[in-house]
Amino acid sequence: MTAPTASLLLDVSPLRASPDFRMLFAARTISILSIGVISVAVGWQVFELTGSSWHVGLVNLCLAVPMTIGLMVGGVMADRFDRRRLIVSSRSVYVLVAALFLINTLLPRPQLWIIYLASTIAGAINGISAPALMAAMPSLVQRAQLAAAGALITVSSQAGAMLGPSLAGVAIGAWGLTTSYGLVAVGAVLTPLLLSRMKPLPAGPGVPLGPLAAARESWQFTRTHGVVGALLLLEIPVALFASPGSLFPELASSRFAGASLPWGGPIMDGAIVAGWLYSAPAVGAFLSSIFSGWTGRTRDAGAMLVFTTVLWAVGTIGLGVASSVLAAVIALAVAGAGRALSEILRRALLQSHTPDGLQGRVGSLWLVQAVVLPSIGMALAGAAARWLSPHRVVTIGGAIALIGTLAIVLAFPAIRREGQPS
């Protein structure tokens, strides 16, 4: 292997250097695999029960609202309490949520309100645990390894997100929804067991006693720190308008119904097509992450962050104009690659500019954008699909995301000159 090629490959040194990071890496892989399975299972089940993309989007809204509250609370908690204990406790409660999904599926007539309830609880739990997971990173690896560690986390996340939806599509088609929810329950049990093997991760110093004062401090820091504020703003348009996941079941059942494989033969099961659509962004993200070694060495991290964010929006537009399953999968893979690389760069830049005592709270602000805004965007897309065809909704959303991104870059030109931490 030549030196230039080797320099592009994923840097795995954080895995070799930190046993605790290895536990985190394994737990996140299993957790994201489970989330990939449940995202397809829930979306497909709701669409089967209602025949409406609006209801599929509403489930994402049920995730988004409590997750927003959970992230704000979790960010303060991550800067006040032991982060490992917080992560393990919240992920243990998620086992009950997985059981609720499974039990509902076993009922003679599964209830839609139970899906909404379980999704609401899951959103709150995920919101509480996510800031602690993010805040733990600088304590597990060296500063110079932040981009490499972020790339590894992205790889683990995208590997799970890539395999999970495909596994769900096959499981639903072959054995039904019960098997998919059973796999989720197994992953829910394994995740806290692995995380409990990490060392204690006490919060950083200097956190105000009152939670409101702690929240105000983080907002003040974000507002006055030009780089951090710009990094957070840059993700808003793409996260909100380039997240078409709620439309995948309808696209699979209508626009791509009866489609043929490129090498011939009809696709008989819409669930399999939906699984491909859900998996495609993760495939692009996974491949781009494998060759993300450059992200830890580039001197133009800000400029590359802008480029990869634009790539995310352009890929979404490509999905909207795609007329075949193959074109749709390629467009989604491009969007996923842009999203993954922008996440790696943004995570490293945010963590390098944020003091340890603010990691949890600033991380929660970013996670609201990275996790909650896409859920809100999917709800909006589902609502818009009541009046417009799904592919038109996707195209318009991608165009808005692209225009919004370029407008923010013009308003904050300094972000293009930001370098990588060393």
Side-chain angles (χ1 to χ4, degrees):
M1 183 179 299
T2 63
T5 302
S7 67
L8 292 175
L9 291 178
L10 184 69
D11 182 359
V12 298
S13 60
L15 287 174
R16 293 194 299 264
S18 174
D20 291 306
F21 181 75
R22 289 197 294 270
M23 289 297 102
L24 179 65
F25 179 83
R28 278 188 59 88
T29 301
I30 294 173
S31 177
I32 298 299
L33 177 64
S34 300
I35 291 173
V37 172
I38 202 170
S39 64
V40 177
V42 169
W44 191 256
Q45 185 177 26
V46 170
F47 192 73
E48 277 190 335
L49 291 173
T50 66
S52 169
S53 290
W54 159 248
H55 282 282
V56 178
L58 191 58
V59 171
N60 287 285
L61 190 61
C62 288
L63 281 165
V65 174
M67 187 178 292
T68 302
I69 299 171
L71 284 169
M72 295 296 99
V73 174
V76 175
M77 294 176 68
D79 288 335
R80 292 172 64 92
F81 305 111
D82 184 274
R83 290 161 180 169
R84 185 196 65 171
R85 182 177 300 175
L86 180 60
I87 297 166
V88 172
S89 299
S90 57
R91 299 318 302 174
S92 297
V93 176
Y94 189 79
V95 176
L96 301 178
V97 176
L100 189 57
F101 278 115
L102 179 59
I103 292 170
N104 182 52
T105 307
L106 295 172
L107 295 176
R109 297 184 64 181
Q111 299 296 305
L112 189 62
W113 70 266
I114 295 180
I115 298 176
Y116 288 146
L117 174 62
S119 298
T120 300
I121 300 172
I125 293 171
N126 290 335
I128 290 173
S129 64
L133 279 167
M134 185 173 177
M137 190 75 66
S139 300
L140 301 179
V141 300
Q142 299 175 0
R143 177 184 171 89
Q145 293 180 320
L146 283 174
L152 286 165
I153 290 296
T154 301
V155 166
S156 71
S157 299
Q158 299 307 326
M162 178 176 59
L163 297 175
S166 297
L167 179 59
V170 172
I172 293 170
W175 304 291
L177 284 162
T178 302
T179 301
S180 294
Y181 286 125
L183 293 172
V184 172
V186 172
V189 171
L190 290 176
T191 299
L193 291 178
L194 287 170
L195 292 170
S196 65
R197 300 181 63 184
M198 294 170 55
K199 67 181 181 182
L201 296 170
V207 181
L209 293 176
L212 293 179
R216 283 196 300 269
E217 183 185 28
S218 63
W219 279 102
Q220 179 70 10
F221 172 79
T222 302
R223 186 177 64 84
T224 57
H225 197 294
V227 174
V228 172
L231 289 170
L232 293 175
L233 283 174
L234 187 63
E235 190 167 5
I236 292 177
V238 283
L240 194 56
F241 296 105
S243 300
S246 63
L247 303 179
F248 290 169
E250 185 173 353
L251 286 169
S253 300
S254 58
R255 186 171 178 81
F256 302 123
S260 298
L261 294 167
W263 51 88
I267 298 173
M268 302 300 295
D269 197 326
I272 294 178
V273 179
W276 287 4
L277 296 180
Y278 278 106
S279 296
V283 172
F286 180 80
L287 293 176
S288 64
S289 300
I290 289 295
F291 294 98
S292 64
W294 60 271
T295 59
R297 291 179 289 272
T298 180
R299 296 182 179 180
D300 301 309
M304 294 308 300
L305 174 59
V306 172
F307 171 76
T308 54
T309 305
V310 167
L311 194 65
W312 179 358
V314 170
T316 303
I317 296 172
L319 170 64
V321 301
S323 58
S324 68
V325 174
L326 179 60
V329 167
I330 292 174
L332 283 169
V334 170
R339 180 173 184 173
L341 291 171
S342 66
E343 176 184 325
I344 293 169
L345 292 164
R346 186 177 287 105
R347 183 195 298 267
L349 289 170
L350 280 173
Q351 291 180 331
S352 66
H353 284 284
T354 303
D356 185 63
L358 284 164
Q359 287 285 347
R361 286 164 287 166
V362 173
S364 71
L365 295 176
W366 175 52
L367 289 167
V368 166
Q369 298 176 331
V371 180
V372 176
L373 285 188
S375 294
I376 296 174
M378 284 188 277
L380 293 174
R386 303 176 72 179
W387 295 281
L388 298 173
S389 60
H391 69 278
R392 290 182 185 275
V393 174
V394 175
T395 305
I396 294 171
I400 294 173
L402 179 59
I403 294 170
T405 298
L406 296 177
I408 290 172
V409 172
L410 291 175
F412 298 91
I415 193 172
R416 300 195 305 269
R417 299 188 293 271
E418 188 62 29
Q420 187 59 270
S422 59

